Amino acid sequence: MTVSLRAYVAAAALARVADEMVAVAVVLLVLDRTGSPALAGATVTAYTLPSIVSGPVLGAWLDRVPYRRGVLAAGGVLLALTCVGLVSTVGRVPVVPFVLAALTGLALPLTSGGYSSLVPKLVPSERLPRANAVDAATFNIGAIAGPALAGTVAAVASPAAAVWLIAALALSGSVCTLFLPSVSGVSDDHHPSLLRTVRAGLTHLVHTPPLRGATLTTVMGYGSVGVLATALPLRMQDLGQDRAAAGYVWTAMEIGCLVAVATLGRFIAGPRPQMTVVVSTATFGALMLAWPVVDSVIWTLAFAAAAGLAEGLALPAIMATRQRHTPGTLLAQVSTTGASLKIGAFSLGAAAGGWLVPAVGSATAITVTACLQLLAAGVGVLAGVRRAGPAGVC
């Protein structure tokens, strides 16, 4: 691993650990202070939904700015400040927590697609498949450590302490980001206007079948996972555990993802990585159907880890799909747009979970989530069919 890639791993992993803690820590904070699943889901929605609007614009802008490190670092500072505000206002001041979460959510695509768009500029093309696997591993590390840290700190200390830890990690990630090699965007002298660039990136995403199909699969699949933000804490309660134990379910799932990425991630860049996205999502959903059937935490964790093994290759596969079918001048935008759509869909899923789980129960809500994974895979196959006419830049 090169020095620049090691620096990238440190910066991206810290930023992503902090981000992955949010859904668990903030939900537990709201539940602790208000006792309302609906408010908990709504807070997560306020944090994640604005990225639907901001992702394409942030990506188009990031493709051209000469100070990418500063932009990415600023996102971490913003998250840290929001955490301070949430601890001070949740359950005490109405409306303000939602406003703080929404403002921070505008920068959320930087943590995922923004960082990932740097990878092709940090390594030579022949090392890109391995670098993609390493990048995907930072997502898995974040998703393993984040929920586990949030759940543990919330259980041992308090949900507020878990939110304070998010602030500390986000600031640490910002500091590490400033030590990355300088990566410049394309000069404005060689770029059309920002609006035209946004339009070009969105058009490319919609009109390129492999991108279109894989993106729809990940967006629908990740959106349905948002239901689990509310369902898992209450499922753990149904099984006689503390609600904070939900963090360990997320961790088990992401350990499976990390194992899959570490063993097979570098080999998925074949001729059709978009099909890996579809198969991975379908298998993930099929295995998730077992979660509500088992009646113990141990078996729930085991099936969560198995589902993670299936889901693990979807992330490096979508990265490879974007890089293979997108010109370099649009890659940051396509990456952040895809990330923002996933995050926005997750927020809608979290909001739906806020009313679905109390209405039908945690077990049924998890079954619905699993079925939506299978539906997402089917939609991705249909949307990825190449139609007559131009198929985009490959």
Side-chain angles (χ1 to χ4, degrees), residues 264-324:
L264 299 173
R266 73 186 70 179
F267 303 114
I268 57 87
R272 301 182 69 193
Q274 67 272 17
M275 291 308 301
T276 301
V277 176
V278 170
V279 173
S280 178
T281 301
T283 309
F284 176 59
L287 289 169
M288 192 188 296
L289 287 170
W291 296 10
V293 176
V294 299
D295 58 359
S296 75
V297 174
I298 296 299
W299 279 109
T300 300
L301 294 176
F303 278 110
L309 282 170
E311 173 65 4
L313 296 183
L315 186 55
I318 190 65
M319 292 174 181
T321 302
R322 291 169 183 161
Q323 292 162 1
R324 178 164 300 171

Side-chain angles (χ1 to χ4, degrees):
M1 188 184 298
T2 64
V3 174
S4 60
L5 191 57
R6 282 197 295 268
Y8 173 86
V9 167
L14 282 168
R16 288 163 178 168
V17 168
D19 176 47
E20 291 289 348
M21 289 182 68
V22 171
V24 175
V26 171
V27 165
L28 292 174
L29 179 67
V30 177
L31 288 174
D32 181 59
R33 292 188 178 178
T34 70
S36 172
L39 283 178
T43 305
V44 174
T45 299
Y47 175 61
T48 52
L49 188 60
S51 65
I52 292 179
V53 176
S54 65
V57 178
L58 282 174
W61 180 52
L62 203 61
D63 273 323
R64 67 179 72 204
V65 295
Y67 40 85
R68 290 193 183 195
R69 292 176 301 178
V71 174
L72 295 172
V77 174
L78 181 60
L79 176 56
L81 292 174
T82 296
C83 288
V84 175
L86 289 175
V87 172
S88 302
T89 60
V90 167
R92 299 166 181 168
V93 182
V95 181
V96 173
F98 300 106
V99 174
L100 291 173
L103 288 174
T104 306
L106 290 171
L108 192 53
L110 295 176
T111 305
S112 49
Y115 274 98
S116 292
S117 70
L118 297 179
V119 174
K121 297 179 179 292
L122 296 176
V123 298
S125 58
E126 65 271 12
R127 296 183 182 177
L128 195 53
R130 178 176 177 81
N132 284 337
V134 171
D135 189 28
T138 67
F139 281 95
N140 299 135
I141 289 169
I144 290 169
L149 280 173
T152 300
V153 174
V156 173
S158 69
V163 177
W164 280 114
L165 182 57
I166 295 173
L169 292 174
L171 286 176
S172 299
S174 294
V175 171
C176 291
T177 300
L178 295 176
F179 288 93
L180 287 173
S182 179
V183 176
S184 299
V186 180
S187 170
D188 283 341
D189 296 335
H190 300 92
H191 247 309
S193 69
L194 184 63
L195 181 60
R196 289 182 61 189
T197 303
V198 170
R199 187 184 304 119
L202 292 174
T203 300
H204 175 76
L205 183 60
V206 170
H207 290 168
T208 307
L211 276 176
R212 183 176 62 229
T215 300
L216 277 173
T217 296
T218 57
V219 168
M220 291 181 63
Y222 198 63
S224 67
V225 167
V227 174
L228 300 181
T230 304
L232 287 179
L234 297 181
R235 178 60 178 166
M236 292 299 100
Q237 183 175 284
D238 292 342
L239 293 176
Q241 303 296 314
D242 190 284
R243 288 181 299 200
Y248 300 113
V249 181
W250 291 104
T251 298
M253 185 165 56
E254 293 301 332
I255 287 174
C257 287
L258 182 58
V259 171
V261 167
T263 56
L264 299 173
R266 73 186 70 179
F267 303 114
I268 57 87
R272 301 182 69 193
Q274 67 272 17
M275 291 308 301
T276 301
V277 176
V278 170
V279 173
S280 178
T281 301
T283 309
F284 176 59
L287 289 169
M288 192 188 296
L289 287 170
W291 296 10
V293 176
V294 299
D295 58 359
S296 75
V297 174
I298 296 299
W299 279 109
T300 300
L301 294 176
F303 278 110
L309 282 170
E311 173 65 4
L313 296 183
L315 186 55
I318 190 65
M319 292 174 181
T321 302
R322 291 169 183 161
Q323 292 162 1
R324 178 164 300 171
H325 298 281
T326 306
T329 54
L330 295 176
L331 183 57
Q333 186 194 346
V334 168
S335 296
T336 57
T337 298
S340 69
L341 290 173
K342 286 176 61 179
I343 295 166
F346 182 91
S347 74
L348 296 176
W355 62 263
L356 179 65
V357 177
V360 303
S362 60
T364 301
I366 292 171
T367 301
V368 170
T369 301
C371 292
L372 288 174
Q373 298 293 318
L374 299 174
L375 178 62
V379 169
V381 171
L382 294 176
V385 174
R386 188 177 298 274
R387 298 178 174 86
V393 180
C394 295

